Amino acid sequence: MSSSFWSGEFYFDGTYSNLLNVCIIDFDTNERLKQIGNGVSIELNEESSFNGEKSYSESSIDSTDNITLQLCRTNGNSWSEGAIAEIYSWLFKKDFKRFQTLDYHSNYNLCCYLKAVSFKKVLNPSFEGYLEIEFKPYTPYWYSIPTSSPTLLDGEIKSIVNYSNLYETYKPKVKITNKGTSSTNIKVINESNNTFIEVLGLSDNEVVIIDCKMGTVINSDNINRFEILQDYNLLELSKGDNKIRLNGNAKVEFICEFPIII
């Protein structure tokens, strides 16, 4: 990954690095910070052999390395025990949290999900230096987040681009706001691959988010509404352009983070 990928600034768990007066630097010559995209290792299992022809299936996909970040102060001050404790509290969480770069040199809006696993203080006696934090990635992928997503109303057809460079289809989250009655049938159809979701039984102005990957239907009151999903169909986005149609008195929004290998 070229050095132009880095601005030095980033978000972690929704907090901007500048607010804590830190940025990413690289004191090493092996460019490990610039390889943050991670490699991907796909394991294959031999399924069967017939007339000398082998068949394989993928057993797992793993990232090859943890990610190491080195952080320095941006305000010219040396480190204090209080500042170090603040950084530790910010970065060390129980769960994996979103790490998002600020890239001024491309159209990518990238994030990944990381969990801190190691913390080192590389300081001189005057507490000048940097902190080194090692993270475990949740997946081997980064995610491209659209800066905007189309909103559909009844009868509209709009295009949604799946920016993923993987060969699998992408299963998005779909936010549906009912604008009719409980008898209103709402159907969201991907006319590019004939997948769809269909719901019936939403209350007036009820909002649900359908996670097409997890197969969940949760409304804004955090109530399970899976029973409104008709025939258990779930929508998928093929790589590239997808033509989406909405039938029914509703508003539909897509929530997408497209996995990519960089």
Side-chain angles (χ1 to χ4, degrees):
M1 185 75 54
S2 67
S3 60
S4 65
F5 177 79
W6 289 105
S7 69
E9 304 166 13
F10 64 98
Y11 284 89
F12 184 80
D13 194 21
T15 299
Y16 184 29
S17 59
N18 270 6
L19 295 178
L20 287 91
N21 298 308
V22 295
C23 70
I24 299 170
I25 54 167
D26 185 5
F27 278 115
D28 289 338
T29 59
N30 61 8
E31 293 194 341
R32 61 179 171 176
L33 291 184
K34 310 203 175 39
Q35 296 169 8
I36 194 169
N38 259 346
V40 173
S41 174
I42 301 176
E43 296 181 9
L44 298 178
N45 289 333
E46 185 175 338
E47 291 286 298
S48 61
S49 179
F50 180 73
N51 290 336
E53 298 295 329
K54 294 182 179 180
S55 175
Y56 294 92
S57 66
E58 294 180 3
S59 60
S60 64
I61 302 177
D62 298 308
S63 58
T64 56
D65 296 300
N66 284 355
I67 292 170
T68 300
L69 300 181
Q70 296 161 327
L71 303 182
C72 75
R73 302 280 274 168
T74 58
N75 57 7
N77 296 337
S78 59
W79 290 97
S80 66
E81 290 292 353
I84 293 172
E86 186 178 34
I87 298 299
Y88 185 94
S89 177
W90 171 41
L91 298 179
F92 278 76
K93 305 294 184 182
K94 180 179 179 180
D95 303 314
F96 288 81
K97 298 296 183 181
R98 178 189 281 187
F99 172 89
Q100 187 169 350
T101 66
L102 296 178
D103 180 13
Y104 302 120
H105 302 278
S106 76
N107 294 321
Y108 284 108
N109 188 12
L110 296 175
C111 78
C112 66
Y113 292 88
L114 304 177
K115 179 176 174 61
V117 295
S118 175
F119 186 86
K120 296 178 182 179
K121 296 179 284 186
V122 186
L123 307 171
N124 65 18
S126 300
F127 268 56
E128 297 168 333
Y130 61 92
L131 307 180
E132 185 172 281
I133 301 94
E134 183 179 359
F135 294 87
K136 176 70 176 176
Y138 185 65
T139 72
Y141 307 121
W142 280 70
Y143 297 89
S144 177
I145 310 169
T147 54
S148 63
S149 184
T151 298
L152 284 81
L153 300 175
D154 188 12
E156 287 188 326
I157 301 177
K158 292 188 178 180
S159 175
I160 293 181
V161 178
N162 174 0
Y163 293 98
S164 175
N165 57 11
L166 307 185
Y167 52 78
E168 299 97 341
T169 57
Y170 176 73
K171 301 174 177 63
K173 292 181 180 179
V174 182
K175 181 179 179 180
I176 298 177
T177 303
N178 185 29
K179 296 299 183 181
T181 65
S182 60
S183 62
T184 298
N185 184 275
I186 301 167
K187 190 172 184 179
V188 186
I189 309 159
N190 185 346
E191 297 188 340
S192 299
N193 61 19
N194 296 318
T195 62
F196 64 91
I197 50 176
E198 187 174 10
V199 298
L200 178 65
L202 285 175
S203 303
D204 186 22
N205 290 316
E206 184 178 4
V207 179
V208 293
I209 293 180
I210 301 175
D211 188 327
C212 293
K213 180 177 181 179
M214 302 302 296
T216 58
V217 184
I218 305 296
N219 73 6
S220 53
D221 294 322
N222 204 33
I223 296 173
N224 184 350
R225 295 285 275 137
F226 186 77
E227 72 275 5
I228 67 168
L229 189 64
Q230 304 298 296
D231 299 324
Y232 311 120
N233 289 295
L234 293 168
L235 185 139
E236 300 178 7
L237 300 177
S238 301
K239 185 187 298 186
D241 191 61
N242 294 261
K243 298 297 182 183
I244 310 297
R245 177 193 293 273
L246 170 62
N247 293 333
N249 190 7
K251 181 175 78 171
V252 169
E253 303 165 76
F254 281 77
I255 304 170
C256 300
E257 293 182 356
F258 297 107
I260 59 173
I261 297 173
I262 59 173

